Amino acid sequence: MLRPLPTDGYDCGIDLTPVVHRNGRVTVRQCYYSVPAKFIGLKVRVKLRANELWIYDGRHVVARHPRLTRRYTFHDILDHYLEILLVKPGAFAGASALAQARAEGGFTKTHEAFWAAAKKKCGDREGTRQLIEVLLLHRQLPAHAVVSGMATVVRIGSISTDLVAIEARKAIEDTEESDLHAPLGTADDEDETVGQEPAEPADEGAKVISLNTRRLPSDARSALPDMSKYDRLLMPVKNTTTRKGTSA
């Protein structure tokens, strides 16, 4: 009983091997969960746990769902159907996965604005295809970066997928730079600003200076001590040293 605990944690889930149906879902305990469309017709491994369900392709997790408790209910992920919807963009507006993404907050107002701008510029079919191509960027880039890229592109009146990708990467670089400079804004800095007048707002478009300039005096020379008194104190020592060196 004094032996150490095992290295691997005890797995409380059960393994199942359902087949992916034509609608891109697997049936587990009379509930339905979406799987990426490329696995349609294939058998996948499912790990059913108390609160969630994981779907594996070999050792790789290809889908994660919250476990459903009501029979005959379903949980779809919009990303799993993008390849099919890219071929059939007319089915995108009525897709149950889109309705679920809206309800869960994954399909944001920025997505809606980009979709509306794309349909206005290219028509319903081509505009929807442009949106789906942007949604595919979520597989390679963080969601916040893609949303930021879409917002920028819509603001300048464009619907280019390539431009969304460029702006998304710029948003990632800006986030990384702000993370590098974040340690300078510590609690000590806040304490030093107590009782001081608030700084003037920076001009729009100006770069944020990472070094806190209020730590430096306005004129560095005025902060230096007067060294003349130290020179007078050291003069006898210098003279003595000189005489000793001469007598030697």
Side-chain angles (χ1 to χ4, degrees):
M1 296 183 65
L2 296 178
R3 286 184 298 180
L5 294 175
T7 340
D8 299 330
Y10 183 74
D11 191 359
C12 300
I14 59 174
D15 288 331
L16 303 170
T17 55
V19 176
V20 182
H21 304 310
R22 291 180 58 187
N23 58 2
R25 295 173 180 161
V26 292
T27 306
V28 178
R29 298 291 176 90
Q30 298 179 328
C31 296
Y32 308 100
Y33 303 89
S34 67
V35 182
K38 64 180 180 180
F39 296 104
I40 291 177
L42 302 178
K43 185 179 291 187
V44 293
R45 182 168 65 91
V46 172
K47 177 73 68 175
L48 180 63
R49 300 183 176 179
N51 298 319
E52 57 185 353
L53 178 140
W54 292 13
I55 302 174
Y56 288 85
D57 174 31
R59 295 184 178 181
H60 302 286
V61 179
V62 295
R64 296 179 62 173
H65 297 272
R67 182 173 177 176
L68 303 176
T69 55
R70 297 178 57 188
R71 293 188 300 173
Y72 310 120
T73 54
F74 60 88
H75 187 268
D76 292 335
I77 297 176
L78 181 59
D79 181 75
H80 294 166
Y81 299 98
L82 292 181
E83 287 85 357
I84 298 176
L85 294 172
L86 190 62
V87 180
K88 299 180 178 180
F92 183 84
S96 59
L98 175 61
Q100 194 139 29
R102 282 172 170 159
E104 295 176 353
F107 197 82
T108 64
K109 293 181 179 180
T110 307
H111 290 87
E112 299 278 8
F114 184 89
W115 190 15
K119 288 192 295 184
K120 184 177 180 180
K121 197 166 187 177
C122 303
D124 290 351
R125 184 179 180 84
E126 290 301 322
T128 303
R129 184 176 283 113
Q130 287 286 109
L131 173 66
I132 295 172
E133 290 179 357
V134 170
L135 291 175
L136 288 169
L137 293 175
H138 283 283
R139 299 181 179 181
Q140 303 173 359
L141 301 170
H144 70 88
V146 177
V147 171
S148 176
M150 281 191 296
T152 304
V153 169
V154 170
R155 190 165 56 249
I156 64 177
S158 175
I159 57 168
S160 171
T161 307
D162 295 335
L163 190 56
V164 172
I166 293 172
E167 292 296 330
R169 291 187 175 91
K170 287 172 62 177
I172 295 174
E173 293 175 359
D174 294 342
T175 305
E176 291 175 351
E177 290 180 1
S178 62
D179 290 342
L180 289 175
H181 298 155
L184 292 175
T186 58
D188 295 336
D189 295 340
E190 295 177 358
D191 294 338
E192 292 175 6
T193 58
V194 175
Q196 296 183 3
E197 297 180 1
E200 297 180 1
D203 294 337
E204 189 174 358
K207 288 189 175 181
V208 177
I209 301 175
S210 59
L211 180 61
N212 201 338
T213 54
R214 59 181 169 77
R215 290 184 175 178
L216 300 176
S218 56
D219 187 358
R221 292 172 295 180
S222 61
L224 294 176
D226 185 10
M227 300 299 292
S228 59
K229 58 181 180 180
Y230 298 104
D231 293 337
R232 288 195 298 270
L233 292 174
L234 291 175
M235 283 181 63
V237 178
K238 291 180 181 179
N239 295 335
T240 306
T241 306
T242 306
R243 285 198 296 271
K244 288 182 179 180
T246 306
S247 61

